[in-house]
Amino acid sequence: MQYNPGWNGSSVNLLHVQAAGPGDSLHYVWSSIGAPAVLLVATQSPSSALRVNWTQLLSASPAGAIWIDPPDSVVYSTAVVFTKLFEFSEAKPLGELFYPTYDLSKFSWDSLNHTLNHTALTAELCGAPASDPGGSFSNGSLAFRVTAYEAGGRDGRLPSLLHTADSSQLEFVLAGVAPRGNSSRFLLEVATVEEAGAERRLRSERSIDDEYTPTIFEVLSLVAQPQNGSSTLGFLQWKATAYGSRSPRREDGIRCRAQGLQAANWSLPVSSIVQAYFGDSLGSTCTISALNVSFGGEEGEVYQEKRYLSWSVLLGFGEPPRDTFSPLVISITAVALGTPLAMLLLGSCLVLLAQRRRYSEYEPIN
């Protein structure tokens, strides 16, 4: 993990996370320069390196300021940008009432270096609007918590997402922000950038197993696939729930919905690392898609009470991890289904045995 590689100041945030394998390497570049974003690059060289031209990156024309060396080692690159936070309430009979939008590209962000933990591979990007006339953020903040992994496993806190060494987890946290309505709900806009030949698709999978995330049976994945193929290049994965507590429990769950993936015909807000890497292709050959993730619903009052909201999402390369039944669940199921079957077979054998014994003691009468 490198903070602002090649730059001595802490007035801006750029975090580079690299995972090196025997024949390839993966790069995650997180930044709050402009709208908060992450750049994901997979290379076929274990020694590939991130290069940053800081003078150009912080200028009005950042195109070409970020690249991977050697350039021909790159096999796949994409970006995810967190653009806006909406707040709205159900105003009957008028319908949904939207309040002024929080544009994340206009937030002021704290130095990420203060929260960087090289041992736990974690960091936190925390910010608030540069201009907050209503004072909603006077005692609150918006944060993105990043966790990288060295091996596969499962996160210890709900929603207990399953991860691999090729993935990173992002937790979106809204804490202490004063709502502007009596029953406010929040909606986060997420945009993705794909180079020519790839596109994003939203998948929903349901399972009867809620062992690791009680009462949640749906997993959503925003996957990147070639337009002429079925292989998966990268993904965002999350469970259909958020939580309203710093120590989440089942009863703290907040309904989470994905409101459909759409092609974005608008330009991205200022996000320097995306423009710096993709350059002129961002407005020509790249495909930009947008997805809205809403939090709340019938139980939307959860945030009103605790003023805390957390949503976890996994980002990575290749196929998203898939949950399978644990040995404990398999054992319980086997016992539950196997015991009646064993009793039925045993009972049938005893009946047959009893019938044979009864007729064997007497001579048949002709």
Side-chain angles (χ1 to χ4, degrees), residues 81-243:
V81 188
F82 302 93
T83 52
K84 297 176 182 177
L85 180 69
F86 299 94
E87 181 182 350
F88 63 98
S89 63
E90 298 287 351
K92 297 180 179 179
L94 301 177
E96 294 178 346
L97 172 64
F98 278 82
Y99 298 97
T101 303
Y102 293 116
D103 187 343
L104 301 188
S105 67
K106 298 179 180 179
F107 270 44
S108 176
W109 301 94
D110 297 338
S111 175
L112 185 146
N113 195 35
H114 300 316
T115 63
L116 188 59
N117 188 324
H118 289 273
T119 302
L121 301 180
T122 59
E124 180 174 328
L125 191 63
C126 185
S131 175
D132 185 24
S136 297
F137 277 79
S138 57
N139 295 314
S141 64
L142 182 151
F144 293 97
R145 295 174 180 168
V146 179
T147 303
Y149 300 106
E150 291 182 319
R154 188 181 298 277
D155 192 64
R157 299 170 67 247
L158 289 175
S160 304
L161 293 177
L162 181 66
H163 62 260
T164 67
D166 296 344
S167 59
S168 294
Q169 181 171 293
L170 179 71
E171 184 181 4
F172 166 73
V173 178
L174 198 64
V177 177
R180 292 173 285 184
N182 293 329
S183 57
S184 286
R185 295 162 58 185
F186 292 94
L187 186 151
L188 180 65
E189 184 180 73
V190 183
T192 62
V193 179
E194 293 294 332
E195 290 184 310
E199 60 183 357
R200 288 277 177 173
R201 296 175 183 173
L202 182 62
R203 296 194 314 212
S204 174
E205 296 183 2
R206 293 183 178 272
S207 170
I208 62 172
D209 183 18
D210 68 338
E211 177 185 5
Y212 300 105
T213 312
T215 73
I216 305 301
F217 301 94
E218 184 181 14
V219 178
L220 295 106
S221 301
L222 187 58
V223 298
Q225 295 178 321
Q227 293 178 348
N228 299 322
S230 59
S231 61
T232 301
L233 302 171
F235 66 88
L236 278 77
Q237 184 187 64
W238 66 95
K239 294 194 176 182
T241 185
Y243 291 95

Side-chain angles (χ1 to χ4, degrees), residues 66-83:
I66 294 179
W67 70 98
I68 298 295
D69 191 22
D72 58 359
S73 66
V74 176
V75 293
Y76 173 65
S77 57
T78 183
V80 180
V81 188
F82 302 93
T83 52

Side-chain angles (χ1 to χ4, degrees), residues 325 328-338:
F325 291 104
L328 177 62
V329 171
I330 294 175
S331 301
I332 293 174
T333 305
V335 171
L337 297 178

Side-chain angles (χ1 to χ4, degrees), residues 83-84 189 191 264-270 275 282-283 288:
T83 52
K84 297 176 182 177
E189 184 180 73
N265 54 6
W266 37 262
S267 60
L268 284 173
V270 178
Q275 295 171 340
L282 190 61
I288 303 174

Side-chain angles (χ1 to χ4, degrees), residues 4-77:
N4 288 351
W7 178 261
N8 294 325
S10 59
S11 58
V12 294
N13 291 311
L14 189 147
L15 175 66
H16 175 223
V17 183
Q18 181 175 357
D24 55 8
S25 59
L26 309 174
H27 299 265
Y28 292 85
V29 185
W30 305 85
S31 177
S32 63
I33 303 175
V38 56
L39 175 68
L40 297 87
V41 183
T43 72
Q44 56 186 1
S45 169
S47 59
S48 60
L50 176 73
R51 305 299 184 196
V52 181
N53 183 330
W54 282 97
T55 303
Q56 187 176 353
L57 178 62
L58 300 178
S59 69
S61 302
I66 294 179
W67 70 98
I68 298 295
D69 191 22
D72 58 359
S73 66
V74 176
V75 293
Y76 173 65
S77 57

